[in-house]
Amino acid sequence: MKGLRENRKTEEIRTQFRETHLSVSDFIYPLFIEEGNNIKKEIASMPGIFRYSLDQINDELNEVVALGIKSVILFGIPLHKDAEGSESWNENGIIQQAIRYIKKNYPTLQVTADVCFCEYTNHGHCGVLCNHDVDNELTLKNLRKQVLAQAKAGVDMVAPSGMMDFAVREIRDELDKNGFHHIPIMGYSVKYASAYYGPFRDAADSTPTFGDRRTYQMDSANRNEAIKEAQADVDEGAAILMVKPALSYLDIIRDLKNNFNLPIAAYNVSGEYAMIKAAGKNGWIDETKVMMETLLSIKRAGADIIITYFAKEAARVLTPSIPS
Ligand code: PBG
Ligand code: ZN
């Protein structure tokens, strides 16, 4: 009798029976852009990931393009922060500059901008404060301004990450009203209040000065609510739905894949990256193999798009012919 081991006999046979394949075009690579000059600063908890000023970013972008990565997502770190995060809608703010620079010099790269305020506010929360909590209405008004500034700078896609109610509706309306019908919205539809964002907050200088984000980001325990959040983004006009973080929420990725007909993105977040890097550095795991197994698991769970700090390293594994 033929068992299932027959299908695993050789690498050629295993390849034929393989159900999931990673590809470089699955990846979106995050970039941290800091206002200023001469900055190339490695993030202590994210080895291999740097903050760059625009004058230092060419080597990084040349490498990204050479590796076949088609898509980047930008996070800005401004020089000046204030209570509302007004630098985020300054037409000469760091993200607007970055969008113009990358679209001019690397026109084939798809540029997505993160749309949020935590990197721009002096209190580190994702919007305008009122009685020590983020006010939804006031923040929606500013979201319109931020997204319009990014659209005018030439952004290809926008990704609101603040978990404000009705953000996608407001942003879609603002874009359409101003003739930017072609710019899709990738909603951070299902974003949990997660301790896995720790290293990112060092990278983006966005740690809240008081409290936490549990009044806007989701409770980790909730699965039904994820469907409600995603449905709201679909109704409001999102083009892509995202789950974040990825690894502790693979069940949620699969739920969204099974319930919606839009592309599903998953954000393989900073803490997930840091843990693999740390164990790899210690020699406790085979870092490259664990990286590939991890990315594959996210895709197998149902992600069509994976936002990951591993994009460059994984691209090298997937395309071994590219010289380093
Ligand atoms: C900001 C934002 C965060 C991340 C992406 N956008 C952090 C947060 O919500 O505190 C996390 C990304 C990561 O950890 O890699 N809204
Ligand atoms: Zn934020």
Side-chain angles (χ1 to χ4, degrees), residues 103-114:
K103 288 312 295 181
K104 177 159 178 266
N105 296 291
Y106 301 86
T108 59
L109 266 185
Q110 191 212 21
V111 174
T112 297
D114 183 73

Side-chain angles (χ1 to χ4, degrees), residues 216-250:
Y216 39 104
Q217 298 178 349
M218 275 180 61
D219 189 309
S220 301
N222 294 355
R223 190 170 173 184
N224 293 329
E225 191 185 352
I227 301 288
K228 285 192 194 169
E229 280 284 0
Q231 185 65 57
D233 276 12
V234 171
D235 296 343
E236 294 175 30
I240 298 172
L241 305 173
M242 192 202 300
V243 175
K244 176 180 176 190
L247 291 182
S248 290
Y249 303 90
L250 293 176

Side-chain angles (χ1 to χ4, degrees), residues 75 114-121 124-127 160-164 191 200-201 206 213 216-217 244:
F75 297 94
D114 183 73
V115 184
C116 200
F117 296 101
C118 46
E119 305 109 274
Y120 300 91
T121 52
H125 279 284
C126 299
S161 65
M163 289 299 279
M164 294 304 120
K191 179 175 178 181
F200 173 94
R201 292 179 187 172
S206 64
R213 303 205 202 290
Y216 39 104
Q217 298 178 349
K244 176 180 176 190

